[in-house]
């Protein structure tokens, strides 16, 4: 089947619209009849990535690609970047500020949750240029991809 890719914009610091990109990805996958457990894992990864862009990143996007045998979820932003990716991946590590914590964020569990729910995760980040996270979800043999 041919590849399919769709992207949704994410605006940094826009807490009113935060979550819309991941809901759009979720609705798209539902309309394509993917397995509900798979959609749930992708929705968790999408939401955590989107909130990280809103809180810590710069403007960016969330994209979903449907490919033969796999789905690829990508989030990219042009923010400050992650200085130490290994440290950021540790459960409980967070640079969230008081405002974020008052809204219930800042447990330092977003990246660990993404790692747990994706089959593979790759993070690239360059200081003052931004962050790019790719997550792969492999489909069982014979699963519907079109
Ligand atoms: N897109 C990003 N740009 C810059 N820094 C980021 C980005 N995503 C994550 N980080 C850094 O990695 C840290 C850990 O991220 P993680 O999602 O695990 O926790 P959190 O966002 O702080 O809290 P939680 O997700 O539990 O609400 C963040 O506190 C931040 O310092
Ligand atoms: Mg987070």
């Amino acid at each position: 089947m041919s590849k399919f890719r769709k992207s949704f914009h994410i605006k940094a610091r826009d807490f009113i619209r935060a979550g819309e990109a991941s809901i759009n990805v979720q609705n798209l996958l539902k309309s394509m009849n993917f397995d509900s457990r798979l959609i749930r894992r992708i929705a968790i990864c999408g939401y955590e990535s989107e909130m990280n862009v809103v809180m810590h990143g710069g403007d960016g996007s969330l994209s979903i690609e449907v490919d033969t045998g796999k789905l690829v979820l990508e989030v990219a932003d042009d923010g400050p970047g992650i200085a130490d990716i290994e440290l950021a991946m540790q459960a409980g590590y967070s640079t969230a500020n008081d405002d974020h914590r008052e809204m219930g964020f800042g447990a330092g569990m977003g990246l660990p949750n993404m790692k747990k729910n994706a089959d593979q995760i790759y993070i690239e980040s360059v200081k003052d240029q931004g962050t790019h996270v790719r997550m792969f979800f492999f489909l069982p043999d014979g699963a519907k991809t079109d």
Side-chain angles (χ1 to χ4, degrees), residues 75-130:
V75 63
D77 74 76
D78 62 5
I82 303 177
D84 184 338
I85 293 174
E86 213 177 305
L87 181 63
M89 291 295 294
Q90 285 180 17
Y93 176 82
S94 176
T95 58
N97 63 30
D98 289 346
D99 289 344
H100 298 149
R101 289 173 197 277
E102 259 174 44
M103 287 186 273
F105 301 108
M109 289 309 294
L111 288 170
N113 237 338
M114 287 153 63
K115 185 172 186 215
K116 191 175 91 187
N117 281 283
D119 290 315
Q120 287 176 0
I121 184 167
Y122 299 96
I123 305 178
E124 286 163 13
S125 193
V126 179
K127 191 172 164 24
D128 297 330
Q129 285 188 29

Side-chain angles (χ1 to χ4, degrees), residues 13 22 24 29 33 36 45 47 55 58 67-69 71 79 83 102 106 109 115 119-120 128 137 139 142:
R13 275 19 111 210
S22 47
N24 283 330
L29 296 177
N33 289 323
S36 60
C45 291
Y47 178 73
M55 282 199 287
D67 197 355
T68 311
L71 301 184
E102 259 174 44
M109 289 309 294
K115 185 172 186 215
D119 290 315
Q120 287 176 0
D128 297 330
F137 302 84
L139 299 166

Side-chain angles (χ1 to χ4, degrees), residues 16-54:
I16 305 288
R17 302 193 67 176
E20 281 185 11
S22 47
I23 297 264
N24 283 330
V25 166
Q26 196 179 339
N27 287 339
L28 184 68
L29 296 177
K30 272 187 198 165
S31 75
M32 295 173 87
N33 289 323
F34 282 105
D35 174 72
S36 60
R37 284 159 302 180
L38 174 68
I39 295 177
R40 188 174 153 71
R41 287 167 54 212
I42 295 176
I44 291 168
C45 291
Y47 178 73
E48 294 291 359
S49 344
E50 182 173 5
M51 290 319 302
N52 279 353
V53 172
V54 172

